[in-house]
Amino acid sequence: MYLCQVPEDRDFAVRPGLPEQPYSIRPDTYQLFLGNETCLLAWSAHCDPAAVWPVNQH
């Protein structure tokens, strides 16, 4: 089952006092999935965090 999509190069703000992400575009942001567009898919018959699977589009 399709859950959601994270667009490519989506930045997430870093909370004050947390470490900088290595190789990030800017020191005040984190990037998930190496900046790739990613769809999150889930297995609906199993209610567990391991049932969610990221699929990169690049």
Side-chain angles (χ1 to χ4, degrees):
M1 168 191 329
Y2 171 83
L3 288 179
C4 67
Q5 181 175 337
V6 179
E8 65 181 308
D9 297 326
R10 172 71 167 100
D11 294 337
F12 296 89
V14 176
R15 286 197 212 169
L18 291 180
E20 188 177 310
Q21 183 183 41
Y23 310 109
S24 183
I25 293 173
R26 296 190 333 246
D28 62 341
T29 63
Y30 287 146
Q31 283 194 321
L32 296 178
F33 311 115
L34 301 173
N36 290 314
E37 180 178 271
T38 304
C39 292
L40 297 178
L41 307 176
W43 180 30
S44 60
H46 191 56
C47 187
D48 186 282
V52 176
W53 191 258
V55 178
N56 288 331
Q57 298 297 313
H58 291 277

